[in-house]
Amino acid sequence: MQDSEINKTARNIRDVIRYIKRFHNAIAIIYLDDEVLDSPLFSSHLRDISLIHQAGLKVVVVPGARKRIDQILDNSNIKWVFKNDVRITTEDAIPQIKMAAFDVSNIVMTGLASHQITATIGNWVRARAKGIIDGIDFGTAGEIDRLQIDAIKTTLESGFVPIFPCIGWSSTGKPYNISSISLAAKIAIELQADKLFFMITDSEITFKNFSIPEKIGLAEDFHIPAMNLEELDDFLTINEKEENKTIEHSILTKRQKIIFLLKTARLACKNGVTRSHIINASTDGSLPCEIFSELGSGTMIYSSNYGGIRTMTQQDIPSVLAIMRPFVQSKILLPRTDLELLEKLSDYIVYEIDGGIRACSALHIYTDNQAEIAALAVDSAFSNLGIGPKMMDFLIKRAKSLGITKIFILTTQTADWFEKLHFVPASISDLPESRRSKWNKERNSKVYVLELQSK
């Protein structure tokens, strides 16, 4: 195995260990869409759910049952209609709806049992009739009233995996058909879950099926790895305007479902859920990849505490040197040692994502109100997320606050990138004497400057 492959493998292993520690005893609510149950990857996803449970996460599963309900109602010659995506049936349908919901839950429970995971199906949901809205009687459809949170917590503390059928009961024991998606969100909110996962097939959020605002960063495969609530609002505004366009029906239906899930994810995050995720269940291993890596495999919605810039610490130095290494090998950056970084510790900033260092840079102050931005490096796997410009913007603002009137950079291979940030060519003679004396003729770096209006 080559050094680069070893480095990549080691980084992945470190990430997994870090996330296992981070999410030990975390609560994860997993909605399994009914299409997932018919997928050839269903057993693989159950294995992954078992593995994350064994890794120390407290898992709740909410399986969708729409297709199974359709089948059983069809077999019983019972008619139904959908209104506002809610199934409307007469009272004689509820025994079949219950049967379908518990069939699906039993399939999940049996599958988890094959991986030595003890799951239990409970009636922890109090519901009420949806009733009559705008003259429409919604019949057996129900709304979630409340959850038996103490019983759910006890089940989780006992090491069991609770499974929730899409059925709720009134105070008199009358059953109602409720939305599994809404139920998953409600459970996550009531438990103040760390993670809420929506696993659906063909759910990639990319340029293929959505318009993506320019400021939202993309992963290497061009899917959106994460959006904060502000970015999500922008995304929804743009894409909801496009619903009137002519779009193939199957694509439109999937888009509408993903948009509904994103709105549900937003609601959950606004009400205390740490993070919500839309995961493509058509990809094997998508669930553990989403949990145990920073970019994941799906799209994460978050309100705070995902990525950010901070001052470098001594503990960050090994990670910063690792980020710099490929740029040094490509002769984009000069090599630096542990001691050199330690001596200039306060000059450096890092971009941290979930405890992992993914970018670095430094602001070195010189005489005559001049400063140099140096050692800018972004992990290649994160290069499409707009981290580099964010680091530059942060350092430029810091320079202004310190009364700096001119920032300069030296570069050999990235002049075009700095020109986009409004740096202009300059000469070696424009550098402060102490920096000019260190200029390497053989390296022949170009000088670019940015004039500042200090505050």
Side-chain angles (χ1 to χ4, degrees):
M1 187 180 291
Q2 296 181 350
D3 286 352
S4 60
E5 293 176 342
I6 293 174
N7 291 337
K8 184 176 180 180
T9 301
R11 184 183 71 181
N12 292 340
I13 292 171
R14 290 172 186 141
D15 286 346
V16 170
I17 292 172
R18 176 161 49 83
Y19 275 108
I20 287 176
K21 290 172 63 178
R22 180 185 181 96
F23 292 124
H24 185 71
N25 283 329
I27 296 175
I29 315 301
I30 303 173
Y31 164 76
L32 286 175
D33 194 68
D34 52 359
E35 291 181 355
V36 178
L37 275 68
D38 293 332
S39 162
L41 294 176
F42 176 58
S43 60
S44 181
H45 290 315
L46 285 186
R47 177 190 60 192
D48 289 339
I49 290 173
S50 303
L51 288 173
I52 67 170
H53 177 72
Q54 291 165 353
L57 281 81
K58 296 175 180 176
V59 177
V60 175
V61 179
V62 184
R66 175 173 289 195
K67 290 179 69 176
R68 183 60 178 149
I69 294 172
D70 289 350
Q71 292 168 358
I72 289 184
L73 291 181
D74 282 344
N75 291 338
S76 302
N77 293 316
I78 295 175
K79 303 298 181 182
W80 77 92
V81 295
F82 279 103
K83 184 68 176 179
N84 299 330
D85 208 36
V86 176
R87 187 191 303 271
I88 300 177
T89 67
T90 53
E91 291 292 334
D92 60 336
I94 197 65
Q96 282 74 21
I97 293 174
K98 282 174 55 182
M99 182 191 306
F102 278 86
D103 278 354
V104 168
S105 293
N106 274 300
I107 290 170
V108 173
M109 184 172 68
T110 301
L112 291 174
S114 70
H115 296 287
Q116 290 74 54
I117 300 298
T118 303
T120 181
I121 302 170
N123 57 345
W124 301 291
V125 183
R126 179 69 60 84
R128 64 183 184 278
K130 196 171 186 69
I132 300 172
I133 302 174
D134 295 330
I136 299 172
D137 188 347
F138 281 84
T140 58
E143 294 282 359
I144 302 166
D145 196 8
R146 63 182 178 84
L147 304 174
Q148 296 181 24
I149 290 298
D150 289 342
I152 299 168
K153 288 181 177 179
T154 299
T155 303
L156 288 170
E157 292 297 333
S158 300
F160 298 143
V161 173
I163 301 174
F164 283 74
C166 56
I167 299 292
W169 282 263
S170 71
S171 57
T172 60
K174 186 176 181 178
Y176 290 101
N177 182 199
I178 57 178
S179 162
S180 296
I181 293 173
S182 298
L183 177 56
K186 179 71 170 177
I187 297 166
I189 292 169
E190 291 293 319
L191 290 176
Q192 292 293 276
D194 302 273
K195 296 281 189 181
L196 169 60
F197 296 101
F198 295 108
M199 295 191 68
I200 66 172
T201 58
D202 302 322
S203 62
E204 292 179 321
I205 303 179
T206 69
F207 281 116
K208 295 180 195 175
N209 43 15
F210 290 98
S211 295
I212 300 177
E214 185 176 343
K215 71 177 183 178
I216 295 178
L218 303 177
E220 289 180 304
D221 63 355
F222 301 108
H223 85 276
I224 299 178
M227 289 186 279
N228 60 33
L229 295 178
E230 180 183 350
E231 291 168 335
L232 176 58
D233 286 342
D234 293 340
F235 177 90
L236 290 173
T237 298
I238 290 175
N239 285 280
E240 286 184 302
K241 287 180 180 178
E242 295 183 342
E243 293 303 308
N244 294 326
K245 291 183 178 180
T246 302
I247 302 174
E248 184 182 333
H249 178 71
S250 61
I251 296 176
L252 178 61
T253 301
K254 184 65 71 171
R255 275 172 55 99
Q256 289 172 336
K257 187 166 189 174
I258 292 173
I259 286 174
F260 175 69
L261 291 176
L262 287 171
K263 289 181 177 179
T264 306
R266 177 177 62 184
L267 174 67
C269 288
K270 284 185 174 181
N271 285 277
V273 177
T274 307
R275 296 174 184 180
S276 300
H277 306 253
I278 314 295
I279 301 180
N280 185 8
S282 301
T283 301
D284 192 14
S286 54
L287 180 60
C289 282
E290 184 70 10
I291 296 176
F292 299 124
S293 64
E294 286 149 355
L295 288 179
S297 61
T299 298
M300 179 179 75
I301 308 303
Y302 66 99
S303 56
S304 61
N305 299 325
Y306 172 58
I309 297 171
R310 62 170 175 80
T311 302
M312 185 175 74
T313 67
Q314 185 173 352
Q315 289 73 28
D316 298 326
I317 290 176
S319 297
V320 167
L321 289 173
I323 290 172
M324 290 181 178
R325 192 170 296 122
F327 296 93
V328 172
Q329 293 169 346
S330 300
K331 301 188 184 303
I332 295 173
L333 291 183
L334 289 168
R336 290 165 173 81
T337 66
D338 295 60
L339 182 59
E340 287 173 330
L341 292 184
L342 187 59
E343 288 175 343
K344 297 281 188 180
L345 195 64
S346 61
D347 289 4
Y348 280 85
I349 60 170
V350 295
Y351 196 96
E352 180 183 53
I353 298 179
D354 274 353
I357 306 304
R358 296 308 175 201
C360 63
S361 190
L363 182 71
H364 303 310
I365 307 299
Y366 290 88
T367 57
D368 300 327
N369 294 327
Q370 294 191 64
E372 177 186 14
I373 291 180
L376 177 62
V378 180
D379 188 323
S380 60
F382 298 76
S383 60
N384 293 324
L385 299 185
I387 294 174
K390 290 178 183 176
M391 300 281 280
M392 291 292 294
D393 184 60
F394 182 92
L395 290 177
I396 289 169
K397 288 179 179 177
R398 174 179 285 185
K400 286 182 177 180
S401 71
L402 295 173
I404 299 299
T405 57
K406 181 190 292 185
I407 293 177
F408 63 88
I409 60 97
L410 282 82
T411 181
T412 57
Q413 301 176 42
T414 55
D416 290 342
W417 190 82
F418 286 105
E419 286 179 357
K420 288 181 181 178
L421 298 176
H422 309 296
F423 281 76
V424 296
S427 68
I428 304 304
S429 61
D430 293 317
L431 297 178
E433 173 57 33
S434 58
R435 184 64 182 89
R436 188 164 63 243
S437 63
K438 297 178 183 178
W439 183 76
N440 187 321
K441 186 175 182 179
E442 290 184 5
R443 185 170 170 81
N444 197 28
S445 299
K446 292 182 178 180
V447 178
Y448 280 77
V449 300
L450 179 69
E451 299 286 347
L452 302 180
Q453 190 72 36
S454 61
K455 292 182 179 181

